[in-house]
Amino acid sequence: MSSPGTQVHPLDGVRILDLFAGPGGLDVAAHFLGFKSIGIEWDRNACETRYAAGLPTIHADVSVMRETRFDEIPKSVDVLAGGPPCQSFSVAGRGAGRAALSTVKEFIHRLVSGEDEALIDRDLHARGVDPRTALVLEPLRWLLKAIETEGRDPYRVIVLEQVPAVLPLWGVYAQLLRSGEGRLKGVKYEADCWELKTEQFGVPQTRTRAVLVARLVGSGAVERPPTTHLPFDVRRGRGSTARAQMLPTKSGPPHGWLSMAEALDAASALTESSLDMSRFRTGGRTKFFVVSNYGSNGNPKNRGRRLSSEPAFTVTGKVSRNKVYRNDEDYDADRSDRFTIAESGVLQTFPHNFPWSGNDQAQQVGNAVPPRLGMHVLSHALRGTAPSDAELAGSTTWPTFSGNTADELRAIGCGDQSRCPQNGHKVTRAGRKSAP
């Protein structure tokens, strides 16, 4: 904290640039590790959450920011992070990105070789590459921009995450970063990439992410972050299990994955928590089961189920559609409940009091990187060690920021609104600001 009378600018000491920042999963992780970040985010609703949370933000298109406003990024930034939009790569989507993997690999090599970027953009369009898929090239373009801009240093550390389907592209990234070829101008990185399962890092949710970490040669080797919890078998057999037997009799295994009940109970017990688990308590214990909004094994009618003693399904933007039942009697009577936004955020390991704002809050929650996974990845990338027990323990409650702080950050992020994404501040007939 600053001493009385000392005014600190929100961008002073920023080290991490978070592209496609969303509501702030990586930024929240950075905060609890003691690092300051700034995010670039296109969606107005996510920006409103970030302003309320006190997270420095620029409401802008990542590509436009790189092309015309690169000089606005603080020169103190030496870490490039981000997770490009995953819809076209996601298993839940139509898979345009997965089908375009070989094409995108080609364009990665063309970018590094020094081919004209305007020609590359024309070819991307001519070959029908989904614009969202093409955004996976943006982190590389930002790196090359920093290397080629006078007065800028190459990023010291790079951290990228995406859905598992993108792992082959991160492999190409890592290979080129190690080579220092072409437009990299001899700048070499130690780089590697892996699939990481969130429940193995203390996230009460099964979710797999493809993660790339790179560090400038001389900054130390890049190693896979060690797991802290056991994996969860998502293919366990329950097809013939009676509903009455589905409710848990005990929590998960010692030192195993973190269950939904454990995470939600712990959050509800915190000071000034708004979470109320009493609606799910039976005999003094939290018990429920969740029926997914998605089908299983290609059958839309075969809804997956998770017990409260197990990790949650992957928290997506449709998390509010999952049905929660206290017992089989409620199931038979179709008396279901839903997770609140705060509860869904806790399952993503956001603090219980994180100030979700704007519209489409469920989508914001689902799009975010789980902060606890982010803490492990960023800590290993920046410090070569795991986050401390104290840092992890302290990540359950978010500091409160005044409305003046949010207004100041909004002025930085949106300014006169003329440089924000087109229609990014459009007002609906009801007088509410809509998402871009």
Side-chain angles (χ1 to χ4, degrees):
M1 296 181 63
S2 58
S3 59
T6 302
Q7 187 171 6
V8 178
H9 191 276
L11 302 190
D12 288 348
V14 167
R15 284 198 56 195
I16 300 173
L17 172 62
D18 186 6
L19 307 178
F20 313 102
L26 281 176
D27 305 79
V28 168
H31 168 84
F32 286 122
L33 294 173
F35 298 105
K36 198 169 181 179
S37 63
I38 183 171
I40 301 175
E41 175 51 43
W42 183 82
D43 179 67
R44 172 68 175 178
N45 295 306
C47 287
E48 284 302 316
T49 292
R50 295 177 60 87
Y51 297 147
L55 297 173
T57 306
I58 299 175
H59 182 206
D61 180 283
V62 165
S63 301
V64 172
M65 197 75 198
R66 169 181 51 81
E67 293 167 352
T68 65
R69 302 173 59 187
F70 188 79
D71 61 335
E72 295 179 34
I73 303 301
K75 291 186 177 181
S76 57
V77 166
D78 64 352
V79 180
L80 180 69
C86 69
Q87 291 94 332
S88 65
F89 291 104
S90 173
V91 172
R94 297 182 179 179
R98 297 194 300 279
L101 281 175
S102 60
T103 301
V104 176
K105 288 180 182 178
E106 171 194 333
F107 282 102
I108 290 174
H109 283 282
R110 287 173 63 178
L111 272 173
V112 173
S113 71
E115 194 168 332
D116 181 70
E117 289 200 32
L119 175 60
I120 288 176
D121 288 336
R122 287 197 296 271
D123 282 359
L124 282 166
H125 179 73
R127 291 169 68 169
V129 176
D130 188 316
R132 297 172 302 174
T133 301
L135 290 174
V136 79
L137 299 171
E138 276 300 320
L140 178 59
R141 288 175 145 165
W142 275 80
L143 169 61
L144 297 174
K145 183 82 170 185
I147 291 173
E148 295 171 347
T149 299
E150 185 177 354
R152 294 275 179 169
D153 294 323
Y155 301 111
R156 188 174 68 83
V157 176
I158 301 169
V159 176
L160 306 176
E161 65 84 31
Q162 248 280 9
V163 294
V166 176
L167 190 64
L169 299 184
W170 289 164
V172 176
Y173 261 63
Q175 175 189 357
L176 291 171
L177 291 173
R178 289 191 292 262
S179 75
E181 296 174 356
R183 291 174 64 189
L184 291 169
K185 298 183 177 181
V187 176
K188 296 183 179 182
Y189 290 82
E190 300 282 356
D192 205 349
C193 53
W194 323 273
E195 281 191 5
L196 302 181
K197 295 182 180 297
T198 57
E199 80 271 18
Q200 292 190 268
F201 294 89
V203 178
Q205 166 197 175
T206 55
R207 187 187 196 107
T208 303
R209 306 304 291 177
V211 174
L212 175 141
V213 173
R215 293 156 59 128
L216 276 176
V217 168
S219 301
V222 168
E223 297 181 352
R224 182 189 185 103
T227 60
T228 58
H229 293 67
L230 295 177
F232 177 74
D233 182 8
V234 297
R235 293 178 295 275
R236 70 213 183 286
R238 288 193 181 274
S240 61
T241 304
R243 288 197 299 272
Q245 296 175 308
M246 289 180 61
L247 296 179
T249 57
K250 62 179 181 178
S251 184
H255 311 296
W257 24 261
L258 188 68
S259 73
M260 290 184 278
E262 290 171 314
L264 293 171
D265 276 345
S268 66
L270 294 169
T271 303
E272 298 184 359
S273 173
S274 64
L275 275 66
D276 181 9
M277 291 294 102
S278 63
R279 69 191 192 280
F280 296 129
R281 290 208 173 97
T282 302
R285 295 182 50 218
T286 298
K287 293 183 180 181
F288 58 82
F289 63 90
V290 181
V291 178
S292 173
N293 177 59
Y294 294 100
S296 300
N297 300 319
N299 182 358
K301 295 183 179 180
N302 183 21
R303 305 293 184 179
R305 301 186 183 192
R306 290 283 175 89
L307 307 179
S308 55
S309 61
E310 299 175 329
F313 295 106
T314 298
V315 175
T316 71
K318 304 296 189 294
V319 63
S320 59
R321 297 186 184 180
N322 291 344
K323 294 185 177 181
V324 187
Y325 297 94
R326 293 179 302 170
N327 50 46
D328 56 322
E329 292 181 3
D330 281 356
Y331 179 84
D332 289 334
D334 197 23
R335 292 191 297 264
S336 63
D337 206 322
R338 310 277 177 159
F339 288 129
T340 66
I341 293 300
E343 290 163 353
S344 300
V346 166
L347 296 178
Q348 277 275 57
T349 63
F350 277 88
H352 70 95
N353 61 335
F354 196 69
W356 301 101
S357 303
N359 298 327
D360 297 329
Q361 292 181 15
Q363 193 67 51
Q364 293 183 50
V365 174
N367 286 349
V369 180
R372 191 176 181 103
L373 175 66
M375 289 180 71
H376 281 276
V377 173
L378 284 177
S379 184
H380 276 275
L382 296 174
R383 308 187 299 201
T385 62
S388 69
D389 291 342
E391 288 169 335
L392 292 172
S395 66
T396 58
T397 300
W398 192 247
T400 300
F401 292 89
S402 69
N404 290 338
T405 297
D407 290 342
E408 184 178 3
L409 291 174
R410 190 177 291 105
I412 293 172
C414 295
D416 62 3
Q417 303 183 4
S418 66
R419 306 179 81 181
C420 295
Q422 187 176 8
N423 295 326
H425 296 266
K426 184 178 180 181
V427 178
T428 66
R429 290 182 179 179
R432 296 168 58 189
K433 291 177 180 176
S434 62

